Amino acid sequence: MHPLVKLAKDTIELYVREKKVLAVSGADLAPEMQQQAGVFVCIKTGGVLRGCIGTFQPCEKDVANEIVRNAVSAATCDPRFEPVRPMSSRTSSIPWTC
């Protein structure tokens, strides 16, 4: 699994199970996660869209924090869907797009 996808997946799982936001540190980040960029996080269950939130322009200091922010929003704030619950997060696939 690509590190950016894993970060989104880990973020969503932690948030929906424990209501905690994953903390990421600049020292531990891969080079592609240290830059600023807009990021979209889309959640699909069985190939069907379940949530998608993104930014065209960066709102956070780096891609890692942008992913964390948008992953939580995609799971809980997309007005088209009910928030992701712990049971549904286990079977969701989270493709990363930018």
Side-chain angles (χ1 to χ4, degrees), residues 21 45 70 75-76:
V21 177
T45 302
N70 292 341
T76 62

Side-chain angles (χ1 to χ4, degrees), residues 22-30 34 61-62 64-65:
L22 187 67
V24 290
S25 166
D28 301 329
L29 300 178
Q34 294 178 7
K61 63 183 178 180
D62 52 45
N65 282 286

